[in-house]
């Protein structure tokens, strides 16, 4: 059957649904009569009336005009109340004129045919009204009314099995599509899983009854007519389905509004979680720094080497174990901060400002203070160890010399105070005098040792030796005893000299022996003291100097031996003369206590100490050679690692500027590059081990390299941090590109232009360079719009500034700089640059959009109730809004009303919540 002639012209398409020369299919006409009648009554009942016969009840035009007034909400001209045909025609014409005034082109429909009860024309006119007032405004994704309604049905029924809506006739015969539409919007009304495709009558009747009972959609068709018709009438189906669309349109708007609000709130909740994570991580890191700095700044020295070495070992543990995780936390904190700021910019949110004292700059400042304290701490401990080593050496030397001196002075006071000369013979007195002279010579020889003891005690005091009181006490006792010995010596000499005049005999030979034996004995004692003297050296040159001095000492031994033999020859001569002259010696040499046996014993001791000294010096030489090997080993590796770190830093600098390929390719390459750097870590660990060996060996200098372990540690940490930041920059660019829909070609164009004006490859643009970059990309800073003008270099840009009086949109450019450089640093980073370009060229959700969405949920009220939020939003997001919305205080406020407008604007930083 052909369709009617065109009776309605849509602004976008023409619906050709009737051919006035042919008859309507009887089955279709029956369906249309029932559907159109029910549709008209669904509106007429609002005016308290209805129709029974569609072609009869509209003949006088009165109910037709009333129908148009109800569905349009407008007043038509006053109808004529007469019963004559002319009155009826005039009323129908008024209705048709109103339809035509709404942009509807009526073809071949006249008032006379309606007044005459022409069923075909009457149905065509009603279909025209349905199209104009019920279907025309339905549009999904810029489609026509019919296509829009069909697309809406397809989307709503897509999840349901056995439903495939392709048209407005056969697709609806089994009734499942009607049930799916209802279940999609009101799932509590229908148990869809119990419906069967092979039972269309049950399905259709179920949908019609539920729609009429719960949705206020009158039953417009009979299930039997649809099932028993090969192809149900399309217009009847469309009319009935449009009632579903209008019934659910409010829910559709609410669903769309709720989805928008949920999306915005989800972004806000995620950002708040990121902010909380940043605050906690920053707080923990700052607390750790605050706890660590006082420890590093504590310069209270320990009393012993063992305590200071333990302190140094604790510091090494801090550098190896405790600090590296904090370095990673600091780097991760900066990465999290940058990622959070990027997400906030992409979601059109205000920038995140950490709480006071937790800014990235605050953390960097605290970290700088930490490293400052750390740098001086290790140097101080090494100096303290050196000082304690020196103190221990001096203290031991003091004790050794003091013991030797105290051993020598033992009994000397008793000897000097005896009165033996009073009963002695002349020879004995002379002997006593000569003996005393020898003692004075010996006393003078010991003066140097006493001065050395006093000097060592003074140095220990100056170096703040912890046991200085006992040292001072012992030194004071030695000095006082030395003064007493001096006084007693002088007193005894005076006594002997008074007696000397009475005594004339003296054994010159004994005297000569004593005079030569005493200095030789002192020389041997000094030699033994020197051979046993402790020494401390720090390099090969110093130990070789000691070895040379020792060799020189050994070269004097033959001459000393000759002196020993000469002294022993004197004693032999005494024995020979006594024996020859028959003199009986009454004991030893009266002028000295140094016997030949004493000289021989001491000489033997000197000969024993010489090889022991040789061995000690050679052992120290081997130790210094080992230390020199440690220095060379560390220097060899450090001279490789240091330049390697510098090279990698320079390469990263070039990579961050000269990146090629897609961002994903760059990210893969950078991560591979980062892995290659991480794989170099064993070399750093090896250096740390070598450095620890050097410190344990108390090596404090290294002439073979300019690199220190501290220098290399800092360089390694900076290298890891720099590559991590570079990777994070690419990740943020990918995030920006995907969120804003920026193409790879646009990003390449941005990067090329940015690098073109970044003349010094610093990774940032000064204000003048940035302005030139914008102009080169076609951004009109005068009119705030983008136009392609080709790239411009800095020389042409400066010429343009001169030609225009340097006034290219000062106000607009100041606005832009406030966006890309909020901290007024004078430098624009690439990330800030692409954030700005993406913001200017893409759309984002706004506060107005969110307010409009809340207004839909609130049914056009200026406030929203908590129960409305709980009904329309998921539970967590509903409670999120309720907790943060302020009470509404407008003129139409009511108890429990919430202010969604201020909440929405606060999300975008436009007001304070």
């Amino acid at each position: 059957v052909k369709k009617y002639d065109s009776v309605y012209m849509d602004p976008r398409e023409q619906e050709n649904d009737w051919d006035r020369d042919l008859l309507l299919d009887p089955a279709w006409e029956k369906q249309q009569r029932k559907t159109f009648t029910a549709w008209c009554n669904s509106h007429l009942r609002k005016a308290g009336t209805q129709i029974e016969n569609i072609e009869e009840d509209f003949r006088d035009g009165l109910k037709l005009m009333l129908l148009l007034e109800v569905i349009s909400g407008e007043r038509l001209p006053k109808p004529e109340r007469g019963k004559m045909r002319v009155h009826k025609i005039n009323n129908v014409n008024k209705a048709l004129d109103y339809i035509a005034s709404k942009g509807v082109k009526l073809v071949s429909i006249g008032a006379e045919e309606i007044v005459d009860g022409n069923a075909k024309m009457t149905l065509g006119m009603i279909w025209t009204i349905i199209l104009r007032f019920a279907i025309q405004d339905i549009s999904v994704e810029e489609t026509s009314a019919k296509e829009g309604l069909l697309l809406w049905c397809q989307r709503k029924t897509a999840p349901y099995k056995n439903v495939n809506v392709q048209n407005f006739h056969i697709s609806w015969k089994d009734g499942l599509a009607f049930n799916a539409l209802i279940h999609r919007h009101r799932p509590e009304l229908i148990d869809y899983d119990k419906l069967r495709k092979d039972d269309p009558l049950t399905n259709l009747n179920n949908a019609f009854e539920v729609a009429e009972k719960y949705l206020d959609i009158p039953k417009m068709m009979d299930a039997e007519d649809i099932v028993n018709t090969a192809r149900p009438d399309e217009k009847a189906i469309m009319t009935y389905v449009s009632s579903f669309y209008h019934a659910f349109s409010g829910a559709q708007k609410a669903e769309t509004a709720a989805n928008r609000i949920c999306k915005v709130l989800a972004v806000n909740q995620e950002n708040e979680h990121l902010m909380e994570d940043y605050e906690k991580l920053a707080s923990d890191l700052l607390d750790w720094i605050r706890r660590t700095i006082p420890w590093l700044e504590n310069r209270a020295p320990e009393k012993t080497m063992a305590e200071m070495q333990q302190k140094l070992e604790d510091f090494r543990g801090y550098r190896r174990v405790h600090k590296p995780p904090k370095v990673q936390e600091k780097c991760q904190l900066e990465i999290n901060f940058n990622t959070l700021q990027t997400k906030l910019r992409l979601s059109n949110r205000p920038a995140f400002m950490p709480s006071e004292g937790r800014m990235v700059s605050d953390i960097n400042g605290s970290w700088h203070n930490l490293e400052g304290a750390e740098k001086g701490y290790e140097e101080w401990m090494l100096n303290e160890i050196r000082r304690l080593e020196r103190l221990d050496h001096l203290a031991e030397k003091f004790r050794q010399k003091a013991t030797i001196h105290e051993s020598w002075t033992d009994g000397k006071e008793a000897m000097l105070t005896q009165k033996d000369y009073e009963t002695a013979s002349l020879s004995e007195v002379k002997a006593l005098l000569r003996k005393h002279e020898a003692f004075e010579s010996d006393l003078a020889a010991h003066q140097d040792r006493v001065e050395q003891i006093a000097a060592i005690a003074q140095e220990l005091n100056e170096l703040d030796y912890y046991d200085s009181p006992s040292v001072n006490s012992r030194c004071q006792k030695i000095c006082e005893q030395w003064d007493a010995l001096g006084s007693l010596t002088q007193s005894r000499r005076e006594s002997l000299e008074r007696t000397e005049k009475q005594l004339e005999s003296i054994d010159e030979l004994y005297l000569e022996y004593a005079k030569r034996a005493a200095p030789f004995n002192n020389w041997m004692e000094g030699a033994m003291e020197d051979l046993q003297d402790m020494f401390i050296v720090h390099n090969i040159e110093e130990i070789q100097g000691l070895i040379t001095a020792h060799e020189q000492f050994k070269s004097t031994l033959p001459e000393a031996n000759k002196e020993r033999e000469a002294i022993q020859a004197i004693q032999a001569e005494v024995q020979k003369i006594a024996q020859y002259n028959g003199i009986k010696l009454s004991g030893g040499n009266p002028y000295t206590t140094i016997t030949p046996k004493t000289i021989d014993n001491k000489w033997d001791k000197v000969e024993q100490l010489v090889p022991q000294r040789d061995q000690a010096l050679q052992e120290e030489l081997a130790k210094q050679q080992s230390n020199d090997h440690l220095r060379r080993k560390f220097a060899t590796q450090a001279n490789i690692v240091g330049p390697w770190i510098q090279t990698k830093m320079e390469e990263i600098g070039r990579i961050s500027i000269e990146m090629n390929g897609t961002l994903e390719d760059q990210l893969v390459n950078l991560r591979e590059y980062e892995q290659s750097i991480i794989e170099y870590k064993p070399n750093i660990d090896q250096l740390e081990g070598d450095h620890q060996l050097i410190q344990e060996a108390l090596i404090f200098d290294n002439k073979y390299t300019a690199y220190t372990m501290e220098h290399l540690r800092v360089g390694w940490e900076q290298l890891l941090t720099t590559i991590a930041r570079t990777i994070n920059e690419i990740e943020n660019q990918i995030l920006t590109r995907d969120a804003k829909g920026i193409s790879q070609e646009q990003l390449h164009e941005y990067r090329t232009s940015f690098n073109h004006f970044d003349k010094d490859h610093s990774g940032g643009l000064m204000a003048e360079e940035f302005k030139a970059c914008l102009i080169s990309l076609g951004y009109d800073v005068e009119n705030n719009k983008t136009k392609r003008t080709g790239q411009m270099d800095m020389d042409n840009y400066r010429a343009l500034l001169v030609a225009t009086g340097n006034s290219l949109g000062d106000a607009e450019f100041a606005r832009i700089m406030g966006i890309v450089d909020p901290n007024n640093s004078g430098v624009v980073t690439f990330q800030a640059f692409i954030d700005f370009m993406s913001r200017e060229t893409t759309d984002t959700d706004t506060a107005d959009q969110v307010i409009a969405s809340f207004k839909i949920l609130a049914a056009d009220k200026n406030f929203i109730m908590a129960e409305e939020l709980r009904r329309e939003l998921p539970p967590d997001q509903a409670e999120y809004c309720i907790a943060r919305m302020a009470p509404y205080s407008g003129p139409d406020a009511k108890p429990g009303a919430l202010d969604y407008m201020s909440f929405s604007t606060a999300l975008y930083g436009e007001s304070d919540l």
Side-chain angles (χ1 to χ4, degrees):
V1 178
K2 281 189 177 182
K3 298 180 180 180
Y4 289 94
D5 285 343
S6 181
V7 297
Y8 164 71
M9 180 66 73
D10 185 275
R12 288 162 292 184
E13 66 174 22
Q14 184 177 5
E15 298 285 353
N16 297 315
D17 290 336
W18 275 274
D19 185 336
R20 72 192 309 270
D21 296 328
L22 296 175
L23 295 175
L24 191 64
D25 182 287
W28 287 3
E29 182 177 349
K30 179 181 179 183
Q31 291 175 11
Q32 286 183 17
R33 281 178 178 275
K34 182 174 181 61
T35 301
F36 290 0
T37 299
W39 184 85
C40 291
N41 284 334
S42 70
H43 293 286
L44 287 172
R45 69 183 178 183
K46 298 174 185 177
T49 186
Q50 63 179 13
I51 61 172
E52 298 294 336
N53 187 307
I54 196 165
E55 66 266 29
E56 289 295 330
D57 293 348
F58 285 138
R59 290 179 63 184
D60 60 3
L62 294 176
K63 287 187 177 181
L64 179 60
M65 294 178 69
L66 182 61
L67 173 65
L68 290 174
E69 287 184 343
V70 171
I71 62 178
S72 69
E74 299 178 6
R75 296 291 293 178
L76 271 67
K78 186 176 181 180
E80 299 180 10
R81 295 298 179 178
K83 301 293 185 179
M84 299 178 62
R85 176 178 174 83
V86 65
H87 296 141
K88 297 178 181 180
I89 291 175
N90 288 340
N91 287 337
V92 172
N93 274 328
K94 289 178 180 180
L96 295 179
D97 290 343
Y98 177 78
I99 296 173
S101 71
K102 295 302 179 181
V104 179
K105 183 180 179 182
L106 297 171
V107 179
S108 302
I109 294 180
E112 292 82 357
E113 294 171 308
I114 304 301
V115 171
D116 291 339
N118 186 316
K120 177 181 178 183
M121 290 298 103
T122 301
L123 291 174
M125 178 188 66
I126 297 303
W127 174 241
T128 299
I129 295 172
I130 292 172
L131 281 176
R132 172 58 184 84
F133 293 100
I135 299 177
Q136 176 181 321
D137 293 334
I138 298 175
S139 178
V140 180
E141 295 185 354
E142 303 301 324
T143 60
S144 67
K146 177 181 177 180
E147 291 172 348
L149 184 60
L150 183 64
L151 181 57
W152 179 80
C153 295
Q154 290 171 340
R155 287 185 174 178
K156 294 300 180 180
T157 60
Y160 294 87
K161 63 181 181 180
N162 298 325
V163 177
N164 184 18
V165 177
Q166 298 297 324
N167 49 56
F168 284 111
H169 38 79
I170 296 176
S171 296
W172 304 82
K173 283 193 66 174
D174 59 12
L176 291 178
F178 291 112
N179 283 277
L181 275 181
I182 297 172
H183 184 269
R184 180 63 181 272
H185 294 89
R186 296 288 300 277
E188 76 279 6
L189 299 180
I190 289 179
D191 188 350
Y192 185 84
D193 292 334
K194 290 185 177 180
L195 302 177
R196 300 198 324 271
K197 187 175 182 63
D198 58 359
D199 190 4
L201 281 175
T202 300
N203 297 340
L204 288 166
N205 283 322
N206 181 67
F208 295 163
E209 291 168 2
V210 168
E212 187 170 37
K213 182 176 181 181
Y214 296 103
L215 303 179
D216 198 26
I217 299 175
K219 185 177 180 182
M220 299 184 182
M221 295 179 289
D222 290 325
E224 292 77 9
D225 294 340
I226 295 176
V227 172
N228 296 329
T229 304
R231 185 173 184 270
D233 180 63
E234 187 175 52
K235 298 166 192 59
I237 299 290
M238 282 181 66
T239 300
Y240 189 47
V241 170
S242 70
S243 297
F244 283 93
Y245 177 87
H246 290 295
F248 295 135
S249 62
Q252 179 70 19
K253 291 179 182 178
E255 180 183 349
T256 301
N259 288 339
R260 176 182 291 275
I261 292 170
C262 289
K263 178 181 177 183
V264 171
L265 295 179
V267 169
N268 229 51
Q269 288 173 305
E270 180 186 3
N271 290 341
E272 285 187 358
H273 288 314
L274 292 175
M275 293 174 190
E276 292 170 359
D277 291 343
Y278 172 90
E279 290 282 349
K280 183 179 185 307
L281 188 57
S283 180
D284 292 346
L285 184 58
L286 287 170
D287 287 343
W288 178 81
I289 294 173
R290 280 192 286 269
R291 291 194 309 271
T292 304
I293 286 179
W295 174 64
L296 294 173
E297 290 179 340
N298 180 14
R299 298 296 191 270
E302 302 295 341
K303 293 181 178 180
T304 66
M305 280 275 290
E307 291 172 330
M308 282 305 299
Q309 285 174 337
Q310 181 58 49
K311 214 175 187 71
L312 181 60
E313 186 59 34
D314 292 342
F315 179 72
R316 289 181 183 136
Y318 156 80
R319 293 303 303 266
R320 290 194 308 266
V321 178
H322 300 292
K323 185 183 177 186
K326 299 303 178 183
V327 173
Q328 295 298 321
E329 287 180 17
K330 177 177 174 292
C331 179
Q332 189 62 46
L333 189 71
E334 294 180 10
I335 290 173
N336 291 354
F337 181 84
N338 293 334
T339 301
L340 173 59
Q341 297 293 38
T342 298
K343 288 187 175 183
L344 289 171
R345 286 193 297 269
L346 295 178
S347 59
N348 202 21
R349 301 302 194 273
F352 168 55
M353 288 297 292
S355 58
E356 185 176 357
R358 293 186 176 88
M359 296 285 290
V360 172
S361 59
D362 296 324
I363 294 170
N364 287 334
S366 296
W367 191 265
H368 178 73
N369 294 336
L370 174 75
E371 292 183 332
E374 178 182 301
K375 181 177 181 182
Y377 190 63
E378 185 174 27
E379 182 180 352
W380 170 77
M381 284 192 292
L382 293 175
N383 288 334
E384 276 299 305
I385 289 174
R386 216 170 311 175
R387 184 181 70 83
L388 289 174
E389 181 188 38
R390 171 70 176 161
L391 283 174
D392 286 347
H393 170 69
L394 287 174
E396 182 61 29
K397 191 170 185 177
F398 173 84
R399 286 189 289 271
Q400 187 183 70
K401 288 186 178 292
T403 300
I404 293 173
H405 177 76
E406 289 166 348
S407 177
W408 178 83
T409 59
D410 186 31
K412 293 297 188 293
E413 289 187 17
M415 181 195 74
L416 291 172
T417 56
Q418 65 184 343
K419 305 294 184 178
D420 52 349
Y421 55 85
E422 293 180 351
T423 58
S425 63
L426 179 60
S427 60
E428 289 174 338
V429 170
K430 286 185 177 289
L432 288 175
L433 185 59
R434 300 298 182 268
K435 182 179 179 180
H436 189 70
E437 289 175 351
F439 174 76
E440 286 181 329
S441 177
D442 197 10
L443 187 67
H446 277 269
Q447 177 69 34
D448 182 59
R449 180 178 293 115
V450 174
E451 291 174 354
Q452 289 179 9
I453 290 172
I456 293 173
Q458 179 63 26
E459 189 171 359
L460 286 171
N461 277 292
E462 292 173 353
L463 294 176
D464 196 22
Y465 181 53
Y466 77 96
D467 201 20
S468 289
S470 65
V471 170
N472 292 336
S473 175
R474 192 173 184 181
C475 182
Q476 181 67 24
K477 184 178 180 182
I478 289 172
C479 291
E480 290 174 353
Q481 185 186 41
W482 184 254
D483 292 339
L485 286 176
S487 299
L488 291 173
T489 300
Q490 181 65 26
S491 176
R492 183 172 176 81
R493 181 175 181 78
E494 292 173 353
S495 298
L496 288 173
E497 287 177 346
R498 284 193 304 268
T499 309
E500 185 182 17
K501 296 177 181 180
Q502 304 168 9
L503 303 174
E504 299 177 358
S505 180
I506 188 166
D507 191 339
E508 293 294 340
L509 203 55
Y510 267 142
L511 184 58
E512 183 183 359
Y513 175 90
K515 287 182 178 180
R516 294 182 69 174
F520 185 71
N521 183 66
N522 286 333
W523 176 86
M524 287 191 297
E525 287 182 349
M528 288 189 292
E529 184 177 346
D530 290 340
L531 289 171
Q532 297 177 87
D533 190 20
M534 296 179 63
F535 56 84
I536 180 170
V537 295
H538 297 94
N539 53 55
I540 292 177
E541 290 76 10
E542 291 179 2
I543 189 60
Q544 287 176 338
L546 291 178
I547 292 173
T548 300
H550 183 61
E551 293 299 324
Q552 291 174 350
F553 167 76
K554 289 195 294 183
S555 67
T556 66
L557 290 179
E559 189 66 28
N561 191 42
K562 289 180 181 180
E563 177 66 12
R564 181 186 66 83
E565 291 173 348
I567 294 172
Q568 298 291 47
I570 293 174
Q571 181 64 26
E573 183 66 20
V574 170
Q575 296 293 340
K576 182 179 178 181
I577 294 173
Q579 185 179 2
Y580 181 78
N581 294 304
I583 299 173
K584 186 177 181 180
L585 300 175
S586 59
N589 191 322
Y591 305 114
T592 181
T593 60
I594 302 172
T595 65
K597 184 178 180 181
T598 300
I599 291 175
D600 286 341
N601 288 340
K602 290 184 178 180
W603 180 258
D604 291 341
K605 181 66 173 177
V606 169
E607 288 186 323
Q608 292 173 7
L609 290 174
V610 168
Q612 293 177 8
R613 186 72 167 184
D614 283 333
Q615 181 179 355
L617 291 173
Q618 290 302 318
E619 288 175 353
E620 183 63 28
L621 177 62
K623 174 184 175 184
Q624 292 302 324
Q625 288 173 338
S626 173
N627 289 352
D628 201 59
H629 171 72
L630 290 176
R631 289 187 183 97
R632 291 177 183 272
K633 182 180 179 183
F634 176 83
T636 300
Q637 184 67 7
N639 290 336
I640 294 172
V641 172
W644 183 87
I645 291 176
Q646 181 63 31
T647 300
K648 293 301 178 183
M649 287 293 291
E650 294 171 356
E651 288 178 359
I652 293 173
R654 290 196 300 271
I655 289 172
S656 64
I657 294 174
E658 301 171 1
M659 289 184 174
N660 298 315
T662 66
L663 292 177
E664 285 75 9
D665 293 339
Q666 295 172 22
L667 191 60
V668 170
N669 293 337
L670 281 173
R671 284 177 174 158
E672 291 176 352
Y673 192 83
E674 181 185 39
Q675 185 60 35
S676 71
I677 291 176
I678 293 173
E679 291 171 356
Y680 197 75
K681 180 66 162 54
N683 295 285
I684 306 297
D685 295 337
Q686 179 184 343
L687 266 180
E688 287 284 4
D690 294 344
H691 183 250
Q692 181 166 345
L693 293 176
I694 284 177
Q695 288 193 332
E696 290 172 352
L698 299 178
I699 299 172
F700 304 110
D701 60 340
N702 195 334
K703 64 183 179 181
Y704 302 113
T705 181
Y707 293 102
T708 66
M709 196 64 234
E710 175 67 22
H711 180 198
L712 295 175
R713 286 192 199 108
V714 172
W716 175 252
E717 292 170 359
Q718 288 177 346
L719 180 62
L720 292 178
T721 300
T722 301
I723 186 64
R725 286 173 177 164
T726 305
I727 290 174
N728 181 245
E729 178 183 345
I730 298 302
E731 290 173 338
N732 284 341
Q733 290 179 29
I734 292 175
L735 189 63
T736 302
R737 180 199 66 191
D738 295 343
K740 298 298 186 178
I742 301 174
S743 68
Q744 188 65 41
E745 291 75 15
Q746 284 178 301
L747 273 178
H748 178 71
E749 182 180 13
Y750 295 160
R751 170 57 78 179
T752 300
S753 185
F754 187 89
N755 289 344
H756 176 77
F757 290 99
D758 185 13
K759 303 297 185 183
D760 57 357
H761 304 297
S762 64
L765 300 181
M766 304 301 288
E768 184 176 302
E769 294 172 332
F770 174 61
K771 193 170 188 179
C773 184
L774 287 180
I775 295 175
S776 73
L777 289 170
Y779 191 92
D780 185 349
V781 294
E782 287 282 0
N783 300 310
N784 189 17
K785 62 184 180 180
T786 302
K787 60 183 180 181
R788 294 296 173 192
T789 59
Q791 193 175 73
M792 180 185 301
D793 61 25
M794 280 299 296
D795 291 336
N796 290 334
Y797 166 67
R798 291 189 178 97
L800 181 60
L801 287 180
V802 172
T804 59
N806 193 19
S807 60
L808 290 181
D810 290 341
E812 171 61 16
F813 187 64
R815 180 191 72 82
I816 295 173
M817 285 301 294
I819 296 172
V820 298
D821 183 22
N823 297 323
N824 295 321
S825 65
V827 178
V828 180
T829 65
F830 181 68
Q831 183 62 43
F833 170 61
I834 61 172
D835 285 343
F836 170 74
M837 293 304 294
S838 63
R839 181 184 299 180
E840 294 296 312
T841 56
T842 57
D843 293 329
T844 58
D845 58 273
T846 65
D848 290 341
Q849 292 174 332
V850 175
I851 290 173
S853 299
F854 273 118
K855 197 174 187 68
I856 292 174
L857 300 186
D860 286 336
K861 300 190 299 293
N862 291 326
F863 57 84
I864 193 166
M865 306 300 292
E867 57 269 20
E868 292 175 317
L869 288 171
R870 292 190 177 101
R871 182 179 68 244
E872 300 293 347
L873 299 180
D876 60 330
Q877 293 184 334
E879 298 306 323
Y880 177 85
C881 290
I882 293 169
R884 287 163 174 76
M885 284 185 180
Y888 177 72
S889 58
D892 51 345
K894 58 188 296 187
L898 300 174
D899 187 352
Y900 63 77
M901 293 186 182
S902 61
F903 172 76
S904 301
T905 54
L907 290 177
Y908 295 86
E910 298 176 24
S911 70
D912 292 330
L913 184 58

